Amino acid sequence: MDEHHCLLCMGSNTNRYAQLSVAREALRTTFPDIHFGEMMETEAFSNQPAKFSTTLSPDSVRDLFKELERRSGRIPEDKAQGVVKLDIDLLVFDNKILKPEDMEREYIRRGMSVLF
């Protein structure tokens, strides 16, 4: 199986440090080589990038992230109220940028410089 190199960013605006801590532990279990960048604060969120490798497909990685979000207590109704318990986005998969708009965010660019 081919190994794929990936970049994610996760964030939270509710019980931020606890949510991100639990997410980091779950991600370490699935992706043992994961390396987390610096946690960065914006006005609304705590954000943290990470790089990792996997043999999973992009869809499988996103499904895993959605499951972690659900386990954190994230529900669709929260979005309308601006509550984000946990959000994990797959930004890059094998040098293919999947979320170009996110790559423009300052905290992503700064975090990538630390990781790469």
Side-chain angles (χ1 to χ4, degrees), residues 31-50:
F31 308 112
D33 72 336
I34 196 165
H35 295 281
F36 293 95
E38 175 186 353
M39 189 176 311
M40 291 163 267
E41 303 292 333
T42 64
E43 191 172 315
F45 284 86
S46 293
N47 300 284
Q48 188 168 33

Side-chain angles (χ1 to χ4, degrees), residues 5-116:
H5 300 281
C6 306
L7 176 70
L8 68 79
C9 188
M10 60 182 180
S12 177
N13 69 0
T14 305
N15 200 11
R16 300 172 182 194
Y17 300 110
Q19 291 286 12
L20 294 177
S21 177
V22 169
R24 280 192 300 273
E25 289 307 310
L27 290 165
R28 279 187 187 107
T29 299
T30 305
F31 308 112
D33 72 336
I34 196 165
H35 295 281
F36 293 95
E38 175 186 353
M39 189 176 311
M40 291 163 267
E41 303 292 333
T42 64
E43 191 172 315
F45 284 86
S46 293
N47 300 284
Q48 188 168 33
K51 68 177 183 176
F52 64 98
S53 59
T54 184
T55 58
L56 297 173
S57 70
D59 288 338
S60 294
V61 171
R62 282 191 285 265
D63 289 347
L64 180 120
F65 291 171
K66 292 302 170 201
E67 178 58 28
L68 292 175
E69 292 171 356
R70 280 190 291 278
R71 286 190 351 216
S72 78
R74 185 172 179 177
I75 57 174
E77 295 80 19
D78 285 345
K79 188 173 185 177
Q81 298 174 359
V83 173
V84 179
K85 293 176 182 165
L86 181 63
D87 182 46
I88 309 174
D89 292 318
L90 181 60
L91 304 180
V92 177
F93 190 89
D94 278 346
N95 295 318
K96 181 179 180 189
I97 297 173
L98 304 176
K99 299 196 99 186
E101 65 282 0
D102 286 356
M103 297 302 290
E104 296 303 314
R105 299 176 196 265
E106 175 61 28
Y107 62 86
I108 299 288
R109 289 196 314 259
R110 198 171 65 193
M112 282 181 53
S113 69
V114 171
L115 290 171
F116 295 100

